[in-house]
DNA sequence: CGCGCGATTGTA
DNA sequence: ACAATCGCGCGT
């Protein structure tokens, strides 16, 4: 299956979040279809970790196509994909993944099931042999958009996207 | 340095 | 509705 390259990730984070629906996530021997995403954009989004620069959010300020993994609530990890050009901090949170046997809904569950931790932060998904994304079975997915989950700021932005089956 | 809290989830 | 659980980051 064709791997998503730098030109796919180097676009506005909201477009990437929509277009990631239906794409395939490959992590080791596990493959899953992305069913739910959220966009976070440092420049104009108070809810984003990259609204201001911190050591944790620094990866979001880098070039696109890298993993951003953070630890939250003392027990969960969340997987994000960095988008847009360098110094345009943004990332897509992966909230839903359909595996052959299970549908994982929730970013914490996805990382727990796949075994993704902060050790996987900052991986180049365009070149890594173990961790990357490819085109999916579904190439033109229609979607529903809602407000993002679990945040208190910027709740007016409809930047959560769910695939329509 | 200390301390409150979070892009969550399972349980009541 | 709330506890679990701890590293980050803001404020001092």
């Amino acid at each position: 299956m064709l791997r998503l390259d730098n030109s796919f990730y180097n676009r506005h984070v909201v477009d990437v979040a929509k277009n990631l629906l239906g794409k395939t996530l490959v992590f080791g021997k596990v493959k899953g279809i992305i069913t739910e995403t959220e966009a976070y954009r440092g420049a104009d989004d108070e809810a984003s970790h990259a609204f201001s620069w911190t050591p944790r959010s620094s990866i979001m300020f880098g070039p696109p196509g890298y993993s951003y993994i953070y630890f939250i609530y003392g027990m969960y990890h969340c997987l994000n994909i960095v988008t847009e050009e360098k110094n345009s901090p943004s990332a897509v949170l992966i909230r839903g993944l359909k595996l052959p046997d299970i549908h994982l809904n929730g970013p914490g569950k996805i990382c727990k099931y796949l075994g993704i931790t902060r050790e996987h932060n900052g991986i180049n998904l365009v070149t890594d042999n173990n961790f990357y994304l490819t085109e999916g079975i579904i190439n033109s997915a229609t979607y529903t958009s809602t407000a993002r989950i679990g945040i208190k700021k910027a709740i007016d932005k409809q930047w959560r996207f769910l695939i329509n089956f």
Side-chain angles (χ1 to χ4, degrees):
Chain A
M1 198 74 78
L2 192 63
R3 181 194 287 239
L4 302 182
D5 61 12
N6 191 267
S7 65
F8 180 90
Y9 301 114
N10 191 13
R11 294 180 294 144
H12 195 287
V13 63
V14 170
D15 292 328
V16 177
K18 293 172 184 172
N19 290 329
L20 276 175
L21 296 170
K23 298 294 191 290
T24 301
L25 171 69
V26 182
F27 186 77
K29 58 195 288 189
V30 185
K31 292 184 174 67
I33 304 293
I34 295 170
T35 60
E36 182 181 342
T37 60
E38 279 178 5
Y40 286 89
R41 191 157 194 278
D44 52 11
D45 176 9
E46 278 190 295
S48 174
H49 288 169
F51 186 66
S52 56
W53 188 94
T54 68
R56 181 178 65 163
S57 69
S58 62
I59 188 71
M60 289 179 68
F61 288 75
Y66 283 76
S67 61
Y68 168 44
I69 320 287
Y70 62 85
F71 186 59
I72 190 71
Y73 295 117
M75 60 185 94
Y76 297 108
H77 295 273
C78 294
L79 164 63
N80 300 253
I81 315 294
V82 176
T83 66
E84 304 191 22
E85 61 185 355
K86 189 180 180 195
N87 294 322
S88 183
S90 54
V92 176
L93 172 66
I94 306 301
R95 293 194 59 92
L97 194 66
K98 176 73 175 67
L99 302 184
D101 44 343
I102 333 169
H103 190 186
L104 300 165
N105 50 332
K109 289 188 224 176
I110 291 171
C111 289
K112 184 180 180 185
Y113 187 90
L114 296 182
I116 293 175
T117 69
R118 276 169 298 182
E119 294 173 24
H120 305 101
N121 187 47
I123 292 178
N124 186 338
L125 305 175
V126 176
T127 60
D128 195 83
N129 291 317
N130 192 60
F131 191 9
Y132 55 94
L133 295 141
T134 72
E135 293 290 339
I137 308 293
I138 308 156
N139 286 314
S140 59
T142 59
Y143 59 87
T144 303
S145 56
T146 76
R148 293 168 294 178
I149 303 294
I151 56 168
K152 291 170 181 168
K153 299 171 186 169
I155 53 176
D156 56 307
K157 284 184 164 55
Q158 305 281 296
W159 282 3
R160 174 182 180 226
F161 304 103
L162 304 109
I163 195 167
N164 291 333
F165 284 111

